[in-house]
Amino acid sequence: MDSAAPAGHPFDGPHGPAAPAERTGTSRLDIQQPGDSARLVEHTFGCLPSDSLIVIGLLDGFTGGHMRIDLGPALTDPFAAAQMVAECLAGPGAEPAPEAAMVMLIGTTPASRGQDAEWSRCLEALGLILEAEYCVRIVQCWFLCAGHIRDPSCSEHSCCKLPGQPIEELLGHPTGHSQSAVRRPRPLRDAAELFLRQAPAPEATVLDRVQLHRRSPEQRLDPAAAQRLLHRWDILLEAIARGTGADAAQDAPELLRQLRSASSRDLLIPLATVGLPATLMGLEADHGDGRRPTGPAQARLLEDYASCFLGETGRRPDWERVDALEHVLGALVPYAAGSERENLLCVMAWIEWARGRGTAAGSFIDQCLAEFPENQFSRLIDRLMQLKGVCLWARVKKHSWSWAQSQAQSRS
């Protein structure tokens, strides 16, 4: 399940009622034919996802927030899936909410009248809730079944009769393998593989220090040592987030200590999202003498600490520091081993879930469980995605990582 804020692609000429187009001076995408819609989805998600319900919001003639969920659950309970998609895309936290939407259902089984009826029921539920509850109309819909695409509402047999037109012919390349793929985002399902493959080669001197550090008698992190290590991480995250530069690899022997246990690993989540004071307050609450906060300021810090793990702080986290945490973890990949690597993959799975990129989170979960089958944290995140779906930060557009990314790009 993936959710994202506006991508900002111009959108014009839908296969059906036209979306409003008020902005000027920008070359618009002309979505008239099935291949055009497939290219838009491919560009937005880095590939044509499989077994998916995809909704792309439209506002003032431009693409807006977009969302992908697994098709199976959407077909099993169309109204529950429609309610969740509509709330994420156009609910109270979605401002600026779209005024229209493009929908694509993608499956692997060949098109048939029975499948057409089942998919149409899902589409009807989504259209009913979007329009009745959020005043968002579906202006375009496409069914992509086993490599053939068509508009189910189109009566032109030349283009949209069952099973539809071959998508590979329309795109001019095998799906997911175009020559221009290098210019598009990599599919989110490849996130873990790409993250690990892009890690730099280990530096011999740093690797020697890491191995020497491991051979030393292991010293348990007492509260004072844990605080000193968190301060070290905090300085590094802040430097990277503010663009002042820092070489995380040089600190690998010490930084890896944070990844050797589940309890110290978990502290990286509040450290990146809500800051050092809240993290230290949580550390004290978990390992101190049990005393309650002495005032409202401390109580707020403790509340931030407790709520950040599920994205329930009610405000935007520090996404720049979260991105910095990913940068540091990437620099540690060549040196992490055993529990260090296991916990590194766990944190990356959580980061991607918090960003609203469930497919990417799933790739890290799969990678972690493939290497460490007994890992419980990855199973917990997987269960979290099933029960809660998209992280609450990703559901509120202006709190989301994708919104922060789009704002940063517009300023650059």
Side-chain angles (χ1 to χ4, degrees), residues 292-329:
R292 289 183 170 275
T294 58
Q298 288 190 348
R300 281 194 299 272
L301 289 174
L302 191 56
E303 184 178 344
D304 284 345
Y305 170 81
S307 59
C308 73
F309 294 96
L310 297 180
E312 296 178 345
T313 60
R315 66 178 188 279
R316 177 191 185 277
D318 195 332
W319 289 121
E320 292 78 11
R321 283 171 62 98
V322 174
D323 291 343
L325 175 58
E326 178 186 17
H327 177 87
V328 175
L329 294 175

Side-chain angles (χ1 to χ4, degrees), residues 6 24 45 68 74 90 100 109 179 190 211 236 240 247 271 274 279 281 305 317 326 333 347 370 373 412:
T24 59
F45 292 91
R68 186 212 69 84
T109 57
Q179 293 180 351
D190 297 335
Q211 293 172 345
L236 185 58
I240 295 172
D247 187 356
L271 183 66
V274 294
T279 307
M281 182 61 63
Y305 170 81
E326 178 186 17
V333 166
V347 176
S412 61

Side-chain angles (χ1 to χ4, degrees), residues 29-111:
L29 294 175
D30 187 13
I31 309 297
Q32 292 282 0
Q33 303 300 325
D36 302 329
S37 64
R39 288 188 189 93
L40 176 60
V41 171
E42 192 178 45
H43 179 85
T44 301
F45 292 91
C47 67
L48 282 175
S50 61
D51 291 312
S52 298
L53 167 62
I54 289 170
V55 185
I56 297 178
L58 308 173
L59 179 63
D60 295 336
F62 285 70
T63 61
H66 46 274
M67 188 169 186
R68 186 212 69 84
I69 67 171
D70 292 341
L71 182 60
L75 297 177
T76 301
D77 194 341
F79 278 94
Q83 189 68 60
M84 180 183 64
V85 170
E87 183 180 344
C88 288
L89 196 73
E95 187 178 341
E99 58 195 354
M102 185 189 92
V103 178
M104 183 177 289
L105 284 76
I106 304 177
T108 55
T109 57

Side-chain angles (χ1 to χ4, degrees), residues 191-255:
E193 181 269 336
L194 183 63
F195 173 80
L196 295 172
R197 183 160 52 82
Q198 286 184 335
E203 298 179 31
T205 56
V206 176
L207 190 57
D208 287 344
R209 289 167 47 217
V210 168
Q211 293 172 345
L212 179 63
H213 202 275
R214 287 202 187 104
R215 288 195 295 268
S216 302
E218 184 65 23
Q219 294 181 350
R220 184 178 177 275
L221 282 175
D222 58 44
Q227 288 189 26
R228 288 194 298 271
L229 185 54
L230 285 171
H231 275 280
R232 195 163 190 166
W233 272 88
D234 179 65
I235 292 170
L236 185 58
L237 293 184
E238 194 66 19
I240 295 172
R242 305 310 164 211
T244 57
D247 187 356
Q250 294 302 316
D251 289 331
E254 278 297 315
L255 297 177

